[in-house]
Amino acid sequence: MDKDINIKVRVWRQQGPKAKGHFETYKLENISGGTSFLEMLDILNEQLIREKQEPVVFDNDCREGICGMCSLYINGHPHGPDNLITTCQLHIRHFKDGETITVEPWRSAAFPVVRDLMVDRHAFDKIIQAGGYINVNTGGVPDANAIPISKLDADEAMDAASCIGCGACVAACKNGSAMLFVSAKVSQLALLPQGKIEAKARAKAMVKRMDELGFGNCTNTRACELECPKGVSISNIARLNRSFLGAKLSD
Amino acid sequence: MTKLEAKIPQGPLADKWTNYKDHQKLVNPANKRRLDVIVVGTGLAGASAAASLGELGFNVLNFCIQDSPRRAHSIAALGGINAAKNYQNDGDSVYRLFYDTIKGGDYRAREANVYRLAEVSNSIIDQCVAQGVPFAREYGGLLDNRSFGGAQVSRTFYAKGQTGQQLLLGAYSALSRQVEKGSVKLFTRYEMLDLVVIEGRARGIIARNLVTGKIERFAAHAVVIGSGGYGNAFFLSTNAMNSNGSAAMQCYRKGALFANPAFAQIHPTCIPVHGEFQSKLTLMSESLRNDGRIWVPKKLEDAKAIQAGTLKPTAIPEEDRDYYLERRYPAFGNLVPRDVASRAAKERCDAGFGVNNTGLAVYLDFSAAIQRLGLKTVEARYGNLFQMYEKITDENPYETPMMIFPAIHYTMGGLWVDYELQTTVQGCFAIGEANFSDHGANRLGASALMQGLADGYFVLPYTIQNYLSDQIGVPRFSVERPEFEAAEKEIENKISKLMSIKGTRSVDTFHKALGHIMWNNVGMARTKESLEAALKEIQALKKEFWADVFIPGEPNTLNIELEKALRVADFFDIGELMALDGVNRNESCGGHFREEYQTPEGEALRDDEHYAYASCWKFEGEDKTPELVKEPLVYEFVERQQRNYKS
């Protein structure tokens, strides 16, 4: 059975993108181990509202690890200390009684803070808009089974496609690079016959947009792969580099 | 008296949609550029509609409350999407998918709509594959299928346990392509707060920029609502935290009828409630019922020992387990529809055989599947779900059976729409879960994704043109018109009223209280008394809310408590509508189970003579009882029967 513990949370508070931020420390008592991390923040907010203070702002929505809305840098790790989960799937049982937990927003030049722990990840949408798709209109497409696809390719494409666009890779990277995010989409589509046709142009367009948006370069530290809640592999980055070089060479 | 015209095309069932398309009016490309369409929501329905309308050449303004269109709650759908491809050669057809859906909905859906849904289902799969959706495949390279509840064929396409995610990302990529081309303009972190009606037609919306708090006006020739369902009226549900029914309620208050609000789906396989502080319930995909067997102890003393924590489920021998779904429904077994499975779980738990320390859970056991298929196969099929379960409960489902319990999941009711998906407000359309059209009183698994994409890709892009074709001469509206002015003023008044209450309780405490009322009185089993009690309790709670809620901060900036307060204010009205509709419907059907109306075996007892209609509610003013308008559901092609999943 889960035990109740007392904790302190050291939370980053920042009124707006240009405001100066600071840490505030709050005490929370009798939090059950089965409480999710975000439910703990709900309890904190309930406490703050009762004291007529403004609640801590943080992004969240599905609370089952798939929408990619929740973020948070917890004790120095994107999505906290556990592996292969998002913050909403992290539970208090991973922390010790009396522990002080430090909670920060994603920190990256490309993801400015909106308020407190909420950041602006529009840059990811803009990268996808540059070419993260196959150019087909609705209707007029062939039968779904017209082109067989090897199960291995389909499975590998699925693994790359499992990216939830949360931004943990960028937050984990000392260079603030979005290469894992970009390469996951490039790989997914390049692995499928439908997406192969535009693979080179896609890689070029997406990398170009990524560079324009202020993301850093990849120096193969593998921090992104380690912190990715969906276990997206850096072999995708190698694939992207190959496509990108190929595209540049054929220019 | 309001009269509803469903505009169902003439002709045999299988020809209706073709006939419609052959004779509807279209808009030529040059004129499309002059027409603006607002789409609210970026889920499967909203994103696919916005993308498809953009491709056609309309100017689309697309709104969502999240930071990106890719976050919409369609993303959380796990198991799959149905289509009548019959790739498995197991006897499937468009007619059979239509029939299963009509029957699954307990004969409370419109025949013509459901047939069209089944008809376009195949195109959806083709479209998604063309977009690069990585559906699961066989070694031969062709698409794989699995089974879902309420069907005897394998027609469900899936992408691991993340089908909704992959389909949404497909629609999101199509949408992103149009954004790049400039045909769709995105408004993220914007929340619709009112529908603007000019001379009887929907002409725009008022929305709040959630980052700046600024109230803004947007005009268009038509407004499409794809804002999802209202299940969060129950507070604890499988919906996302921010899912809400407010956009639909705004349309309702502006004259759109709200149909079948009582039809809400309780999903049988969710992780049980574990504490007071819980914020949401997590769904375990229905696909698990393909291989998992549901049971509770046969002996009351075993159940008691498990509840007390002195007995482990693995210690209960085979002969002392009650696989109650297999026992009660031999033909469909663990794959009965959701409403049937949920009620059966409740029946066992009410009788004292429930497990978990609360007695409010049943087992979903994979030991037989692991023996039959091997650990590896089970892991390949359900690995991500098992991992999700273990992270939440700290128990390993490969070793001990999962514990599950029903939870509110989906709402079949919604804005009334005609065959063209148009509400009773001209120019206001509703798609996906936000409308009421296709699932009757109960939705089958893997059909929500199908309907969302059917509406967005293949239905609305046709039907909306029939409306817009006579709007080509209508110039763009100025947002300075008095109708916009008045709507904005009304919103500002509502917000300042909320902010000025400065009471003692948080919004969440009210939302939770509402959730308790809903679950206890308007949940899995309802009675006339419980529903009437709910109406009284909701009214009292609503009064208290407007007198004692406390919202910190300022309205003209980012304010998460204000966002929640505006949504909860609408949930009270939705709760009332659900209860009111439940009281009116003196029968049991699908997700609406009135304890007074059941067969001797405890199955839902419909009353086709008196209730074979969609109950549509017309707003008559704040705190006034809405008018009930009936749309008779005439069945020309299918004979209504008592649903039978036994033989």
Side-chain angles (χ1 to χ4, degrees):
Chain A
M1 278 304 281
D2 285 317
K3 282 197 304 260
D4 288 2
I5 60 169
N6 300 328
I7 48 170
K8 282 184 194 154
V9 271
R10 199 168 147 258
V11 182
W12 184 259
R13 304 294 313 249
Q14 183 176 338
Q15 196 56 28
K18 298 211 173 77
K20 200 167 172 298
H22 67 283
F23 281 107
E24 285 275 352
T25 304
Y26 306 99
K27 262 198 229 167
L28 287 170
E29 286 173 0
N30 301 321
I31 307 295
S32 146
T35 311
S36 78
F37 198 84
L38 297 184
E39 284 166 354
M40 181 274 289
L41 291 179
D42 291 343
I43 295 170
L44 169 63
N45 278 347
E46 186 63 43
Q47 206 169 289
L48 289 173
I49 293 167
R50 231 179 293 136
E51 294 161 3
K52 308 282 176 198
Q53 296 186 51
E54 286 202 45
V56 177
V57 174
F58 59 94
D59 263 324
N60 73 100
D61 205 15
C62 80
R63 295 210 179 184
E64 44 189 276
I66 195 75
C67 75
M69 191 97 179
C70 67
S71 48
L72 306 191
Y73 219 73
I74 302 161
N75 286 348
H77 291 279
H79 296 300
D82 199 1
N83 290 329
L84 295 175
I85 51 157
T86 55
T87 295
C88 63
Q89 294 172 300
L90 177 66
H91 285 74
I92 296 302
R93 66 175 79 95
H94 289 280
F95 299 92
K96 288 193 280 295
D97 193 25
E99 188 173 344
T100 300
I101 306 169
T102 302
V103 192
E104 299 167 78
W106 283 172
R107 298 209 189 268
S108 162
F111 294 159
V113 170
V114 177
R115 164 106 43 111
D116 296 342
L117 304 171
M118 179 188 272
V119 298
D120 180 352
R121 287 169 288 194
H122 272 126
F124 268 10
D125 284 334
K126 288 186 183 145
I127 293 176
I128 297 293
Q129 286 157 16
Y133 39 77
I134 293 170
N135 274 294
V136 287
N137 280 351
T138 304
V141 299
D143 184 86
N145 259 347
I147 309 169
I149 301 173
S150 110
K151 181 170 162 51
L152 293 177
D153 285 345
D155 287 351
E156 211 181 336
M158 178 63 228
D159 287 342
S162 61
C163 166
I164 56 174
C166 65
C169 47
V170 177
C173 178
K174 67 183 171 79
N175 308 319
S177 169
M179 278 294 271
L180 192 66
F181 172 78
V182 174
S183 68
K185 185 49 76 180
V186 165
S187 288
Q188 174 207 340
L189 298 177
L191 280 160
L192 301 168
Q194 290 84 356
K196 227 164 228 161
I197 301 155
E198 302 169 277
K200 283 182 186 167
R202 179 181 306 115
K204 255 170 51 183
M206 290 179 76
V207 168
K208 181 162 176 275
R209 183 71 55 88
M210 172 182 76
D211 290 343
E212 287 165 6
L213 290 165
F215 290 99
N217 293 318
C218 172
T219 52
N220 278 310
T221 67
R222 305 185 72 163
C224 52
E225 181 185 59
L226 202 70
E227 299 287 5
C228 174
K230 296 293 150 184
V232 173
S233 157
I234 58 154
S235 62
N236 291 303
I237 297 183
R239 189 179 288 110
L240 169 61
N241 284 334
R242 282 198 301 275
S243 312
F244 185 74
L245 278 176
K248 281 286 178 195
L249 287 173
S250 58
D251 268 354
Chain B
M1 258 284 285
T2 315
K3 202 167 162 0
L4 292 170
E5 179 48 68
K7 293 195 240 164
I8 297 168
Q10 293 302 310
L13 191 57
D15 298 341
K16 285 182 189 291
W17 181 228
T18 309
N19 285 346
Y20 178 87
K21 288 190 290 182
D22 287 348
H23 299 102
Q24 72 161 113
K25 285 181 272 179
L26 297 172
V27 181
N28 92 13
N31 285 328
K32 281 180 186 140
R33 285 195 288 275
R34 290 205 282 263
L35 293 168
D36 303 335
V37 182
I38 285 173
V39 179
V40 180
T42 59
L44 286 177
S48 60
S52 303
L53 293 172
E55 287 163 10
L56 287 171
F58 294 104
N59 271 312
V60 181
L61 294 84
N62 194 189
F63 294 78
C64 71
I65 56 175
Q66 295 90 348
D67 69 336
S68 162
R70 66 181 292 157
R71 316 271 188 226
H73 195 54
S74 305
I75 203 148
L78 306 163
I81 176 165
N82 287 331
K85 284 284 193 186
N86 193 30
Y87 284 157
Q88 305 303 324
N89 194 32
D90 56 358
D92 204 5
S93 64
V94 168
Y95 184 85
R96 198 174 284 273
L97 174 54
F98 152 75
Y99 182 79
D100 287 348
T101 308
I102 278 275
K103 175 186 170 192
D106 220 349
Y107 305 95
R108 289 291 177 264
R110 225 184 257 148
E111 278 182 328
N113 283 57
V114 178
Y115 194 89
R116 176 178 64 191
L117 175 67
E119 200 176 335
V120 302
S121 68
N122 291 339
S123 306
I124 297 171
I125 304 302
D126 300 341
Q127 188 64 33
C128 294
V129 168
Q131 287 170 346
V133 170
F135 281 122
R137 287 177 183 269
E138 308 268 14
Y139 279 99
L142 301 184
L143 290 159
D144 191 18
N145 291 113
R146 54 167 59 144
S147 309
F148 254 61
Q152 287 172 315
V153 294
S154 289
R155 62 160 73 100
T156 305
F157 295 80
Y158 65 101
K160 262 197 179 167
Q162 288 142 261
T163 317
Q165 180 200 26
Q166 293 310 315
L167 297 178
L168 184 65
L169 293 182
Y172 163 73
S173 65
L175 178 67
S176 298
R177 177 171 166 249
Q178 294 309 306
V179 173
E180 189 75 4
K181 286 191 172 164
S183 59
V184 176
K185 193 151 188 266
L186 268 182
F187 296 86
T188 58
R189 293 204 204 265
Y190 268 80
E191 182 153 8
M192 173 178 170
L193 293 183
D194 206 0
L195 177 75
V196 178
V197 179
I198 299 177
E199 287 154 9
R201 291 174 191 259
R203 292 301 190 193
I205 65 167
I206 306 288
R208 184 166 176 269
N209 179 327
L210 299 180
V211 176
T212 63
K214 199 166 168 258
I215 311 285
E216 300 178 29
R217 308 170 184 183
F218 299 91
H221 294 87
V223 175
V224 180
I225 304 295
S227 55
Y230 49 89
N232 265 351
F234 284 67
F235 184 73
L236 281 183
S237 83
T238 65
N239 288 4
M241 299 303 289
N242 299 309
S243 298
N244 66 82
S246 290
M249 287 310 275
Q250 290 147 24
C251 298
Y252 165 72
R253 288 196 198 97
K254 286 288 165 85
L257 267 55
F258 203 107
N260 298 335
F263 291 169
Q265 175 162 83
I266 316 271
H267 197 294
T269 51
C270 301
I271 300 179
V273 179
H274 60 86
E276 265 301 302
F277 45 81
Q278 190 152 358
S279 59
K280 80 153 271 162
L281 296 170
T282 301
L283 176 73
M284 290 281 102
S285 166
E286 177 159 317
S287 63
L288 291 168
R289 289 200 272 143
N290 267 288
D291 291 307
R293 297 178 71 196
I294 294 175
W295 64 276
V296 291
K298 212 177 258 178
K299 296 181 186 156
L300 210 49
E301 63 262 31
D302 284 354
K304 292 265 171 296
I306 280 175
Q307 289 164 20
T310 55
L311 182 68
K312 285 201 158 34
T314 41
I316 298 179
E318 193 61 27
E319 62 273 18
D320 290 339
R321 299 177 176 195
D322 177 13
Y323 296 93
Y324 57 88
L325 288 177
E326 296 169 31
R327 166 171 62 78
R328 285 178 66 176
Y329 307 99
F332 281 70
N334 292 296
L335 282 174
V336 289
R338 292 174 176 174
D339 56 333
V340 178
S342 291
R343 272 200 301 279
K346 182 181 189 301
E347 188 274 330
R348 283 292 82 192
C349 293
D350 286 350
F353 294 91
V355 295
N356 205 3
N357 51 6
T358 54
L360 292 174
V362 299
Y363 289 126
L364 178 60
D365 196 330
F366 287 86
S367 54
I370 290 169
Q371 243 169 29
R372 176 166 52 91
L373 304 161
L375 197 72
K376 262 205 135 88
T377 309
V378 171
E379 198 183 341
R381 281 184 194 171
Y382 311 111
N384 67 323
L385 296 166
F386 280 33
Q387 184 238 19
M388 194 198 275
Y389 182 86
E390 189 173 355
K391 290 288 179 192
I392 293 173
T393 62
D394 213 18
E395 282 187 353
N396 181 350
Y398 293 101
E399 288 163 9
T400 184
M402 279 185 183
M403 282 191 287
I404 51 162
F405 198 65
I408 194 92
H409 177 58
Y410 184 91
T411 48
M412 283 73 70
L415 291 171
W416 182 89
V417 290
D418 59 21
Y419 189 74
E420 297 183 310
L421 305 181
Q422 188 164 211
T423 68
T424 45
V425 175
Q426 277 194 82
C428 176
F429 295 77
I431 55 177
E433 190 179 350
N435 76 27
F436 90 113
S437 66
D438 296 347
H439 306 295
N442 172 57
R443 179 175 66 73
L444 291 181
S447 285
L449 303 184
M450 173 172 68
Q451 186 224 337
L453 291 180
D455 286 0
Y457 284 133
F458 297 109
V459 181
L460 184 81
Y462 285 88
T463 60
I464 201 171
Q465 292 195 54
N466 206 29
Y467 171 77
L468 289 172
S469 62
D470 69 356
Q471 298 293 303
I472 51 175
V474 178
R476 294 206 156 99
F477 282 86
S478 159
V479 292
E480 302 305 321
R481 285 182 63 121
E483 291 88 348
F484 279 95
E485 188 81 42
E488 185 181 317
K489 190 91 206 116
E490 207 176 309
I491 298 284
E492 275 175 349
N493 288 344
K494 189 175 178 182
I495 289 176
S496 36
K497 197 172 158 197
L498 278 168
M499 296 301 297
S500 66
I501 298 168
K502 300 214 177 299
T504 62
R505 287 174 61 183
S506 71
V507 178
D508 275 0
T509 62
F510 285 102
H511 197 177
K512 281 183 189 176
L514 174 65
H516 278 293
I517 299 173
M518 296 304 291
W519 183 249
N520 293 332
N521 300 303
V522 196
M524 259 190 290
R526 310 156 171 184
T527 61
K528 185 167 183 285
E529 288 70 37
S530 78
L531 293 161
E532 282 169 350
L535 279 171
K536 279 210 187 85
E537 288 172 37
I538 294 168
Q539 276 155 12
L541 187 66
K542 183 169 147 185
K543 234 173 147 181
E544 213 185 318
F545 172 85
W546 283 98
D548 197 25
V549 74
F550 173 68
I551 304 165
E554 299 299 323
N556 51 355
T557 177
L558 189 149
N559 189 330
I560 50 173
E561 290 298 306
L562 175 61
E563 291 167 26
K564 285 199 260 182
L566 286 163
R567 294 170 196 157
V568 170
D570 286 326
F571 279 134
F572 291 126
D573 296 348
I574 291 170
E576 279 187 66
L577 267 184
M578 292 179 77
L580 191 67
D581 190 39
V583 174
N584 171 69
R585 193 168 281 278
N586 293 312
E587 64 164 350
S588 292
C589 59
H592 170 67
F593 192 76
R594 284 274 301 268
E595 285 186 345
E596 306 97 306
Y597 308 100
Q598 51 181 312
T599 66
E601 301 91 50
E603 305 298 337
L605 189 62
R606 276 198 336 263
D607 178 354
D608 290 336
E609 197 190 328
H610 300 101
Y611 293 96
Y613 62 78
S615 41
C616 312
W617 300 90
K618 186 167 180 269
F619 182 69
E620 293 285 350
E622 295 295 339
D623 299 316
K624 291 204 178 109
T625 307
E627 181 200 345
L628 171 64
V629 184
K630 300 173 185 176
E631 184 206 338
L633 295 169
V634 183
Y635 273 51
E636 290 177 74
F637 306 96
V638 168
E639 194 195 337
R640 286 192 178 92
Q641 290 168 351
Q642 152 111 40
R643 279 199 301 167
N644 173 10
Y645 294 102
K646 292 173 187 294
S647 52

